[in-house]
Amino acid sequence: MELTNLFPTPAGVPDAHQQPYLEQREWLVDGELRAWRGPLMEVVSPICTREGERLTPKVIGAFPALTSTEALECLDAAVRAWDAGRGQWPTMTVEARIGCVARFTAAMKEKRAEIVRLLMWEIGKSYADSCKEFDRTIEYVHATIEALKELDRSSSRFELVEGIAAQVRRAPFGVTLCMGPFNYPLNETFTTLIPALIMGNTVLFKPARYGVLLNRPLLEAFRDCFPKGVVNTLYGDGKALIGPVMQTGKVDVLAFIGSAATANLIEKQHPFPNRLRTVLGLNAKNPAIVLDDADLPSAVKECLAGALSFNGQRCTALKILFVQRKLADRFVAELSRGVDALVPGMPWDDGAQVTPLPESGKRQSLEALVDDAKAKGARVVNAKGGLTAGTLYFPAVLYPVPLGSRLANEEQFGPVVPVVPFGDEKEVLDFVAASSFGQQASVFSTSAERLAKLIDPLVNQVCRVNVNSMCQRGPDVFPFTGRKDSADGTLSVSDALRAFSIRTLVAAKQGPLNEGLLRTIVRERKSGFLSTDFIF
Ligand code: G3H
C-alpha cells in the first residue's frame, strides 16, 4: 500500500469537492462585518497535493490575525449588548429569543454544502462524518429550542410557600467567551454557543486553531438574526487575543473545550475568579476493560471504532485498552487484523476511515509516544501500524504496553492504540483511580456478576460506564461530563441550558397589596421575567 499515492494531484480532486481559495477578511463585531486590512493567518489543509512523489501542503485560505485592540472591541460590543443585563437581548422574551435562533438555524441549513466541504479540507474529516457533524448540530439546536420551551413552560407559574409568592426562572450570566475544539469545530462549539445565546448571554466566539474558515458562511446569518453585539467573532492567535480579554474581568462565563493546560492559563488571567463561571470539556483517556469472558468479535469491533473513529481524535475515544491476560493474545490478533483492514484515503474517498491529520507536528508527537513505549517493551503488532506519508499516519496497535510508559498515561489524541494485558480487575481499577482523567470507561464481559463488580467502583471514578459498547458523547440528551481533570460542568441538550444560566426568583410576601401588584404585572404583561405566558 502506497500512502503517498492516496493524496490527489492538483487536478485530481473530484469536482464536487474542490475547495476554492477562501481569503476571509471579514470579522463580526457590534453587528457589523468589518473588513480587516491587517495581516492574515494562512489556513494549511491537512490534504496535501502530490506531484510525482512530492507532497505539498495545500494552502486553502486565510483569516484575519486580529490583535488585542480588535479583541477588546469585540469584548466592548458584547458588554454593551449585555448592558448590565438591561440590553435588548437579555431582556427579550424567551419566545423572541427562540425566534432569532430558529431563523439563524434556517439560514445555517442553506450553508450545509459549503460547511461540509470546509470541514473536510480544514480538519480532514471524512465526507460522511462531516455531513454527520453538520446534521447533528442542526438537530442539537432544534432539540435545544424544544428543551427551552419545556423549561419555560414549567417556570411559567408562581409558587406559594410559607406565605411567600415567587416565580423562579433561569436568567443569563452576561458576557460569554466560547472556544471550541478542532475535532468537532462546528458541533462542539455550537453545543456551548447556542445554549449560551438562547439563554440571553452575549457572546465572544473564538474558533479553534483548525476549523476557522468553516464559520465564514455563517457570519451574515449571525449578523442578521441577532441584535448587534450579541455575537462577535475573534480570529487570530489565541495567546494574543484571549489574555487581554480575560484580564479586563468583563467575561462572566468561559465555555472552553480543549486541553486542561490551556483552560487553566485562560482562567488564571481573570482578576475575579469567583465571578467567572466555567463550562469546560477537557482531556480524557477513556479506558476499555475487556474481561476474559467477553464476546470477542463484538469487543474488538467496539474497541476498534471507539479507539479509531476520526483517527482517534475524539475526546471520548478509547485511549487505552486493558485486556485480561487469558484473552489478550487473541484480542490483539483480531484487533490488528481489523485495524489493518481500515481504508486510508482522502476525506471524499468512498469508505475512507484513515484520513489526514490536521495538527502540525502530530506525526512526530505520535512517533515519540510509540518510541517511548517500544523502548519500554511494547511492539507495534499490526503490519501497517505507523506507516506514514505526509499527513497520513496509519493506526498503530502497541502491545504489551507497560503502565510506566508515556502512552499509558498521556492522551495521544490520535491513531495509536495501546493494549495493556492485566490479571486481576483490581490492577485496572487502581490505575483508573490514580489517573487524573475521569470522563468515561467501557467494560466488556458476558457475565452480569463481573460487570456489576466493575460498574460500581467505576461510576465513582468516571461519569459514564459503557457496557459492551464504545465510549461516546451521544445521544445528546444524555449528560456529558467528567470528573477530576476531564470536565467542569455538564453538557447535554437540557443541562447546557442550565450551565449558561442561573436560577433567579422574584418573591413577595403574600397580602392584598403584593398580590394585586403581581396580578397587574402579569395580566398587563409589564415584565418579561414575571410572566405566566405559555410557549406552545
Ligand atoms: O471530542 C469529543 C466529542 O464530544 C465526542 O463526541 O463521542 O459523539 O464522537 P462523540
Side-chain angles (χ1 to χ4, degrees):
M1 177 189 48
E2 184 46 87
L3 289 179
T4 306
N5 291 336
L6 297 172
F7 288 96
T9 59
V13 178
D15 284 348
H17 301 296
Q18 291 279 355
Q19 176 57 51
Y21 183 82
L22 176 55
E23 182 176 282
Q24 179 187 337
R25 290 203 166 261
E26 306 73 22
W27 56 296
L28 177 62
V29 57
D30 208 17
E32 269 179 43
L33 285 187
R34 292 213 192 133
W36 172 245
R37 306 266 165 247
L40 299 172
M41 287 174 88
E42 261 188 356
V43 178
V44 182
S45 172
I47 301 169
C48 307
T49 45
R50 172 172 58 88
E51 276 163 284
E53 287 291 290
R54 225 180 89 227
L55 295 175
T56 314
K58 188 167 161 61
V59 178
I60 55 165
F63 58 86
L66 300 179
T67 70
S68 58
T69 309
E70 292 73 41
L72 292 172
E73 274 183 67
C74 281
L75 175 67
D76 287 344
V79 169
R80 273 196 304 277
W82 169 248
D83 190 17
R86 290 174 296 213
Q88 181 191 358
W89 186 246
T91 56
M92 204 180 258
T93 62
V94 168
E95 198 164 16
R97 280 207 299 265
I98 286 175
C100 294
V101 172
R103 270 196 303 286
F104 172 79
T105 317
M108 180 174 164
K109 279 190 203 159
E110 288 173 19
K111 305 291 181 180
R112 184 178 189 269
E114 266 172 87
I115 293 175
V116 164
R117 197 171 52 235
L118 282 162
L119 273 166
M120 292 194 287
W121 280 93
E122 286 195 273
I123 61 161
K125 191 169 273 194
S126 72
Y127 177 71
D129 284 349
S130 297
C131 290
K132 228 186 271 170
E133 175 163 353
F134 185 91
D135 297 338
R136 178 180 179 181
T137 307
I138 296 286
E139 277 165 34
Y140 192 96
V141 183
H142 287 314
T144 298
I145 289 176
E146 288 312 310
L148 179 55
K149 284 182 182 172
E150 188 51 45
L151 187 64
D152 193 77
R153 286 177 198 130
S154 60
S155 322
S156 280
R157 54 189 285 271
F158 281 84
E159 293 172 38
L160 304 178
V161 182
E162 295 175 16
I164 296 187
Q167 182 165 28
V168 185
R169 282 188 181 279
R170 301 201 70 94
F173 286 113
V175 174
T176 300
L177 172 61
C178 283
M179 300 174 70
F182 83 79
N183 62 332
Y184 280 89
L186 182 76
N187 182 263
E188 290 232 295
T189 309
F190 274 53
T191 60
T192 61
L193 179 75
I194 295 295
L197 278 175
I198 209 165
M199 292 312 288
N201 301 282
T202 62
V203 167
L204 297 176
F205 158 40
K206 159 83 177 63
R209 175 68 187 89
Y210 310 101
V212 180
L213 294 176
L214 60 91
N215 296 291
R216 173 63 192 92
L218 299 174
L219 289 188
E220 283 80 3
F222 275 128
R223 178 196 61 195
D224 298 341
C225 298
F226 297 99
K228 71 174 194 166
V230 170
V231 182
N232 307 276
T233 55
L234 291 176
Y235 293 117
D237 175 20
K239 281 192 215 82
L241 304 178
I242 302 303
V245 164
M246 291 303 283
Q247 283 153 19
T248 61
K250 292 180 184 170
V251 172
D252 300 296
V253 188
L254 169 67
F256 174 86
I257 300 180
S259 79
T262 309
N264 291 343
L265 275 179
I266 298 174
E267 274 183 67
K268 268 193 206 132
Q269 308 199 51
H270 197 289
F272 315 117
N274 294 334
R275 174 167 168 175
L276 182 71
R277 305 279 161 156
T278 51
V279 181
L280 310 175
L282 305 172
N283 309 87
K285 182 123 182 134
N286 294 341
I289 306 171
V290 184
L291 301 187
D292 53 17
D293 64 352
D295 176 66
L296 186 62
S298 125
V300 167
K301 182 168 159 267
E302 290 293 317
C303 286
L304 202 159
L308 291 172
S309 303
F310 190 34
N311 309 302
Q313 300 167 120
R314 295 163 57 239
C315 60
T316 47
L318 286 171
K319 296 191 179 108
I320 182 163
L321 311 183
F322 291 95
V323 186
Q324 206 158 21
R325 220 158 254 128
K326 220 165 92 192
L327 189 67
D329 285 347
R330 280 199 295 143
F331 178 93
V332 166
E334 283 291 303
L335 180 70
S336 299
R337 244 194 305 280
V339 171
D340 277 348
L342 291 174
V343 179
M346 293 303 107
W348 51 78
D349 289 338
D350 261 355
Q353 293 160 302
V354 175
T355 53
L357 304 176
E359 285 181 284
S360 88
K362 189 65 188 180
R363 175 174 142 187
Q364 290 78 354
S365 71
L366 292 175
E367 284 172 351
L369 288 174
V370 168
D371 289 346
D372 175 74
K374 277 162 70 178
K376 290 175 177 145
R379 281 181 310 114
V380 174
V381 286
N382 58 321
K384 298 181 190 169
L387 293 180
T388 63
T391 46
L392 277 174
Y393 183 100
F394 201 91
V397 179
L398 275 102
Y399 174 74
V401 170
L403 290 182
S405 64
R406 288 181 56 203
L407 191 51
N409 296 282
E410 294 175 26
E411 182 180 25
Q412 65 272 42
F413 213 80
V416 173
V417 189
V419 183
V420 182
F422 72 93
D424 188 89
E425 284 92 319
K426 184 173 177 307
E427 292 166 41
V428 184
L429 291 172
D430 287 347
F431 182 85
V432 171
S435 159
S436 57
F437 307 106
Q439 190 197 64
Q440 300 190 15
S442 290
V443 290
F444 294 89
S445 168
T446 48
S447 155
E449 196 172 329
R450 296 183 74 193
L451 281 171
K453 284 206 174 111
L454 281 177
I455 290 170
D456 285 0
L458 282 172
V459 291
N460 291 337
Q461 285 295 325
V462 298
C463 286
R464 173 164 165 167
V465 178
N466 302 277
V467 176
N468 293 322
S469 315
M470 62 189 253
C471 295
Q472 61 183 49
R473 173 175 178 154
D476 287 324
V477 292
F478 286 166
F480 176 55
T481 183
R483 294 166 183 270
K484 303 183 194 171
D485 286 347
S486 284
D488 180 4
T490 301
L491 292 174
S492 78
V493 166
S494 54
D495 287 304
L497 296 175
R498 293 182 171 81
F500 291 100
S501 61
I502 186 159
R503 270 154 64 89
T504 303
L505 58 148
V506 175
K509 286 194 176 153
Q510 285 185 260
L513 175 65
N514 283 347
E515 285 170 16
L517 290 169
L518 293 180
R519 200 173 286 125
T520 307
I521 291 172
V522 169
R523 194 178 292 144
E524 296 180 17
R525 295 203 165 81
K526 289 182 181 295
S527 162
F529 187 99
L530 272 186
S531 159
T532 53
D533 280 354
F534 192 85
I535 307 180
F536 287 95

